[in-house]
Amino acid sequence: MTNIGIIGCGGISRFHYEGYEKAGARIAHVCDVRPEAAQAVGDRYGAKVSTDYRAVLDDPEVALVSVLTPSSTHREICLAALAAGKGVVCEKTLSDDPAASAEIARAAEAAGVFCATAYMKRHFPASQQAKRLLAEMGPVTSLYARTWQPYAELWDETLGEWTKERPSAPVRAYGGGALVCGGSHILDLVHWYAGRPSRVCGHMATREGLDFDRATNALLWLPHGAAGHFEAHWHPLQFAGYERNGWDERLEITTASGRLDLYTVLWHAPERNPALLVHQDAASGKVTEYRFPAVNAFHAEMAEMLRRFEVGEPPEPSAWDGYVVDQLIATIAESAQAGEAMDMEWADGK
Ligand SMILES: NC(=O)c1ccc[n+]([C@@H]2O[C@H](COP(=O)([O-])OP(=O)(O)OC[C@H]3O[C@@H](n4cnc5c(N)ncnc54)[C@H](O)[C@@H]3O)[C@@H](O)[C@H]2O)c1
């Protein structure tokens, strides 16, 4: 049985510890700088409790750690975990800086230690089916990818909570707004399905009083001459989207032989409805809807991370996959600021 360390016991942590528990691992040591947060999880599992992540890394019982602290702390904690020989599952984004993410990926490679980036949207059965179908459909010719999340408060006069502290809560926890939060997941799916863009042209929109983007769009130059359109948007429409709950996230992927439409579901309630995949065959016009049972994609993710770690298979998404997303985020933002398209330069030379 694999002994798990949980570093960071905030909002996202329950998806990790419950997922590992369900998959048969043991939560052995939990840590948070807020002692009460760590204690609550420790009590639940009879696990050791610490307020310093180094105590988890020094614990010989722990084999695999989930790093669930704000993204700005991931570099330090992941590098220390890899140096201690612990397998790592790091929540997205791998860090808040592509150079730091490349450093983590290189360190994992050099040490030969398991290091994954947690992008759970790859783990919806519908997302996995899309990957399987694409393997037979030929290269992507066009891709449209959007993540629209409902934040009506961003559109009222006062802005309320969003302006109370600087940096604001999303900047402290995630490193940014629409592009980093929802956009990172979608950029992970974009490069998983269509390959790495070679060039991007970004456009970012904010409003006075905000220290993050409310919307980011980008044109992506994809392999085989394909074009990708990317949109991340914190919008005011409370009933938009496939679930009619404001969560309006989808990918439309076209190849010469057909089209896939993937609709995802509200991120923190993924067991309510299944993600939906629709396949249209170009030659016959036949349309197939894949409606899998609703599953918690985080739990599927933890089970797969654990399986790979235990059998010694490379992680997926890897630290390098996490780096790719962080490099895309940085270059799209840079391109938006410069007002011009920019070539992608990849730290791993690919
Ligand atoms: N996959 C997703 O859909 C998704 C959704 C939300 C958040 N996330 C990611 O999860 C991570 C955490 O986000 P969250 O929403 O849980 O934030 P959070 O603020 O709720 O929790 C972070 C926790 O880390 C603790 N912490 C901070 N620094 C620490 C340190 N040095 N050592 C130990 N503990 C420390 C804080 O006290 C807090 O309890 C972020 O990287 C975020 O981007 C991913």
Side-chain angles (χ1 to χ4, degrees), residues 23 44 110 133 155 228 265 277:
R44 177 173 170 165
L133 290 172
W155 297 83
V265 292
L277 178 69

Side-chain angles (χ1 to χ4, degrees), residues 59-70:
D59 184 342
E61 229 189 352
V62 169
L64 179 67
V65 295
S66 268
V67 178
L68 311 174
T69 52

Side-chain angles (χ1 to χ4, degrees), residues 143-145 179 187 199-204 216-221 228-232 328 332-333 335:
L143 182 145
Y144 170 65
L179 172 60
L187 290 170
R199 189 171 167 80
V200 299
C201 188
H203 175 274
M204 291 178 103
T216 292
N217 286 38
L219 181 63
L220 311 172
W221 281 250
H229 299 255
F230 163 83
E231 276 191 276
L328 281 168
I332 288 170
S335 149

Side-chain angles (χ1 to χ4, degrees), residues 1-332:
M1 183 184 281
T2 301
N3 285 314
I4 304 289
I6 298 288
I7 301 176
C9 297
I12 199 74
S13 62
R14 75 184 163 94
F15 295 109
H16 283 244
Y17 54 70
E18 288 173 1
Y20 287 128
E21 179 189 22
K22 229 176 142 183
R26 173 169 167 264
I27 309 304
H29 200 148
V30 305
C31 163
D32 198 294
V33 288
R34 293 181 301 123
E36 68 286 3
Q39 194 63 52
V41 183
D43 288 348
R44 177 173 170 165
Y45 291 105
K48 283 169 257 181
V49 173
S50 301
T51 51
D52 187 331
Y53 73 83
R54 282 167 283 239
V56 179
L57 304 184
D58 287 343
D59 184 342
E61 229 189 352
V62 169
L64 179 67
V65 295
S66 268
V67 178
L68 311 174
T69 52
S71 297
S72 57
T73 66
H74 289 177
R75 175 187 170 276
E76 176 187 323
I77 299 175
C78 288
L79 290 177
L82 293 167
K86 308 295 185 192
V88 173
V89 175
C90 182
E91 253 307 326
K92 68 94 192 175
T93 55
L94 183 55
S95 80
D96 57 356
D97 167 16
S101 298
E103 198 181 346
I104 296 169
R106 269 194 213 99
E109 220 167 52
V113 177
F114 186 94
C115 188
T117 315
Y119 277 108
M120 95 295 190
K121 290 180 194 190
R122 291 194 188 196
H123 294 274
F124 288 117
S127 312
Q128 299 269 325
Q129 179 67 10
K131 183 72 176 169
R132 280 191 291 272
L133 290 172
L134 273 172
E136 307 294 321
M137 287 173 66
V140 172
T141 54
S142 165
L143 182 145
Y144 170 65
R146 70 189 274 161
T147 173
W148 280 42
Q149 302 181 25
Y151 283 114
E153 322 83 87
L154 284 177
W155 297 83
D156 73 18
E157 286 299 306
T158 62
L159 282 176
E161 287 298 318
W162 301 92
T163 50
K164 281 205 175 125
E165 288 180 83
R166 282 292 175 275
S168 58
V171 174
R172 269 181 287 123
Y174 315 125
L179 172 60
V180 176
C181 289
S184 57
H185 280 289
I186 296 309
L187 290 170
D188 178 61
L189 292 176
V190 165
H191 86 92
W192 189 43
Y193 289 140
R196 294 186 189 185
S198 56
R199 189 171 167 80
V200 299
C201 188
H203 175 274
M204 291 178 103
T206 186
R207 65 176 275 191
E208 210 181 321
L210 291 184
D211 59 350
F212 54 84
D213 60 313
R214 195 166 58 176
T216 292
N217 286 38
L219 181 63
L220 311 172
W221 281 250
L222 292 170
H224 312 287
H229 299 255
F230 163 83
E231 276 191 276
H233 196 9
W234 283 354
H235 69 88
L237 309 174
Q238 297 302 302
F239 300 99
Y242 154 58
E243 291 182 287
R244 299 290 180 262
N245 58 2
W247 189 264
D248 191 8
E249 191 172 83
R250 70 186 181 88
L251 275 83
E252 178 188 294
I253 309 170
T254 305
T255 77
S257 69
R259 172 182 288 173
L260 296 174
D261 287 290
L262 176 66
Y263 301 83
T264 72
V265 292
L266 185 61
W267 78 271
H268 54 79
E271 60 286 272
R272 251 191 344 221
N273 288 307
L276 170 67
L277 178 69
V278 182
H279 171 240
Q280 185 183 134
D281 181 69
S284 65
K286 186 180 161 201
V287 173
T288 310
E289 290 199 356
Y290 293 90
R291 291 182 182 272
F292 296 95
V295 294
N296 188 319
F298 287 102
H299 294 176
E301 172 184 44
M302 291 311 122
E304 179 62 5
M305 293 291 182
L306 191 64
R307 186 193 71 74
R308 285 175 177 264
F309 177 74
E310 287 177 345
V311 303
E313 268 180 40
E316 197 187 301
S318 65
W320 279 119
D321 290 323
Y323 155 75
V324 168
V325 174
D326 294 343
Q327 187 67 69
L328 281 168
I329 287 171
T331 312
I332 288 170

